[in-house]
Amino acid sequence: MYEEEQRPDHGPLAGFTVGVTAARRADELGALLQRRGAAVLHAPALRIVPLADDSELLAATKDIVQQAPDIVVATTAIGFRGWVEAADGWGLGEDLLSRLGGVRILARGPKVKGAVRAAGLTEEWSPSSESMAEVLDRLLEEGVEGQRIAIQLHGEPLPGFVEALREGGAEVVGVPVYRWMPPEDLGPVDRLLDATVARGLDAVTFTSAPAAASLLSRAEERGLLPEVLAALSHDVVPACVGPVTALPLQSRGIDTIQPERFRLGPLVQLLCQELPGRARALPIAGHRVEIRGHAVLVDGALKPVPPAGMSLLRALSRRPGWVVARAELLRALPGSGRDEHAVETAMARLRTALGTPKLIQTVVKRGYRLALDPATETKYADA
């Protein structure tokens, strides 16, 4: 029955659930997490809309006209065209194009390249991959110390892009062609918040400061902010792509984890180290049992466990080897009421899911205990 589950090809994040708050590049981040075994709950905390009040774009345009950047990074065709058209409307079109004509322009892909050329400009380089990561690599390899770099923003801030350039010594000027707004459908965000409070998530990823701020704002609107902050402080790992992204969380006293390189790949790799490192591993009945978010590894074999079973297992693991009364286990079950029979039913399903019934012992008229190996009982009894 368990032959398929015992294959050792599960990823390092198997058994963990990770929330993704990104609007852009969410598919890429989700795929990276799933490829390593994680279950993903996606809840875009932002939506991207064209600027209705374009005062920020006007200010950025005037800044660039007054002081030319060394490099301009054009990220989307529609955004670049919108910028030039807006500048024309303000009577700054010719001045802007004159400035841009004398600087190095990097275009993210062929559509952007077409928009740049349609404006009478010429790009210096464009990556064949259409990847902003490749653009960033090229800039950092060349060295950006002391460079003034203008980036046409395309909605949600590029994960780690601006942070990496500033870390390299560049002055970065953002050109905001879009604005970030709360999502029209708050259902996914609310589900993510509920899962965070219920400890149904092991980690939440953030790739932009506005997304982090938006999530906390929604929690506050629902009266859940204290519970969400408590979860992020102790049980649910907040993983940010870089220090700027982390600021809204840090302002609330939340410590975050961040990769050394501000990219999606390193962010996922960091979670691959962090989450398994936090999982509880116990020697039980001659087996190594590792308790993860929604699954258990028994001697390295992945065993998915129902939520009620995970609640019981966590309650037993808080005092390994000790007898835990049925009444206490009943309180650990979500929405179980007062019938202790619910504990017996959930325990039977838990044992079936684990595939090794002897891991949990029934102590007649008292409750249940993990069958901790004798050599380690003293250690955990003293803890």
Side-chain angles (χ1 to χ4, degrees):
M1 179 177 177
Y2 293 93
E3 183 177 345
E4 177 126 356
E5 292 170 3
Q6 289 174 353
R7 292 180 305 175
D9 58 355
H10 56 76
L13 294 179
F16 295 112
T17 304
V18 180
V20 171
T21 61
R24 292 185 61 89
R25 300 185 72 188
D27 290 345
E28 180 183 350
L29 179 54
L32 287 171
L33 291 164
Q34 288 172 337
R35 206 173 297 146
R36 288 155 180 82
V40 173
L41 179 61
H42 179 217
L46 301 170
R47 61 187 167 97
I48 301 162
V49 297
L51 277 174
D53 171 14
D54 49 19
S55 58
E56 294 175 45
L57 179 59
L58 173 58
T61 303
K62 285 181 176 179
D63 185 17
I64 287 170
V65 167
Q66 290 167 5
Q67 183 183 356
D70 300 293
I71 300 168
V72 170
V73 178
T75 58
T76 65
I78 189 171
F80 191 82
R81 285 196 299 269
W83 182 21
V84 173
E85 288 169 5
D88 275 336
W90 298 317
L92 295 171
E94 288 186 13
D95 291 339
L96 176 63
L97 293 177
S98 175
R99 278 297 194 192
L100 298 184
V103 306
R104 301 169 58 202
I105 298 178
L106 306 185
R108 182 182 59 85
K111 289 183 180 178
V112 194
K113 190 191 305 184
V116 169
R117 292 184 180 181
L121 303 169
T122 304
E123 80 289 347
E124 177 185 278
W125 176 79
S126 179
S128 56
S129 65
E130 299 187 46
S131 164
M132 288 302 291
E134 191 175 342
V135 174
L136 180 60
D137 286 340
R138 182 182 177 96
L139 288 170
L140 295 179
E141 285 168 11
E142 292 176 352
V144 295
E145 179 74 39
Q147 296 282 294
R148 180 172 158 88
I149 302 175
I151 301 176
Q152 172 236 316
L153 302 174
H154 55 40
E156 187 178 358
L158 302 161
F161 196 97
V162 172
E163 292 159 314
L165 291 178
R166 286 180 174 150
E167 185 85 0
E171 176 193 354
V172 180
V173 179
V175 181
V177 187
Y178 302 92
R179 184 178 296 283
W180 313 295
M181 301 286 287
E184 289 182 333
D185 181 7
L186 289 167
V189 172
D190 286 346
R191 285 191 288 275
L192 185 142
L193 289 171
D194 291 340
T196 300
V197 170
R199 275 60 170 181
L201 296 177
D202 300 289
V204 180
T205 60
F206 299 94
T207 58
S208 72
S214 177
L215 190 74
L216 295 177
S217 175
R218 179 57 182 167
E220 195 162 23
E221 287 174 11
R222 294 185 59 203
L224 290 176
L225 187 59
E227 293 94 327
V228 168
L229 294 178
L232 294 174
S233 295
H234 301 292
D235 304 302
V236 181
V237 177
C240 297
V241 79
V244 174
T245 297
L247 287 176
L249 294 160
Q250 290 177 341
S251 70
R252 300 279 190 169
I254 302 299
D255 292 328
T256 65
I257 63 168
Q258 304 162 24
E260 291 184 8
R261 297 173 68 232
F262 310 141
R263 316 277 182 84
L264 296 186
L267 178 65
V268 172
Q269 288 302 319
L270 181 58
L271 284 172
C272 288
Q273 300 165 16
E274 190 74 21
L275 292 183
R278 294 182 178 217
R280 188 94 188 259
L282 296 168
I284 303 173
H287 300 274
R288 184 183 186 277
V289 177
E290 183 178 318
I291 302 169
R292 296 191 166 191
H294 62 263
V296 178
L297 293 183
V298 180
D299 296 330
L302 185 66
K303 310 288 184 177
V305 174
M310 289 303 303
S311 296
L312 293 181
L313 194 55
R314 288 195 189 94
L316 292 170
S317 70
R318 289 190 194 105
R319 288 179 289 169
W322 289 42
V323 177
V324 182
R326 283 182 175 81
E328 184 175 339
L329 292 173
L330 181 63
R331 287 194 294 273
L333 285 178
S336 58
R338 298 181 180 179
D339 186 0
E340 289 189 4
H341 181 66
V343 174
E344 296 171 16
T345 302
M347 189 63 71
R349 290 173 179 164
L350 170 60
R351 283 169 162 158
T352 299
L354 294 175
T356 311
K358 292 182 179 179
L359 295 177
I360 302 172
Q361 296 176 339
T362 301
V363 182
V364 179
K365 296 184 179 180
R366 293 182 60 200
Y368 299 89
R369 68 186 287 271
L370 293 180
L372 202 67
D373 289 345
T376 57
E377 291 226 26
T378 304
K379 169 187 169 185
Y380 286 101
D382 292 342

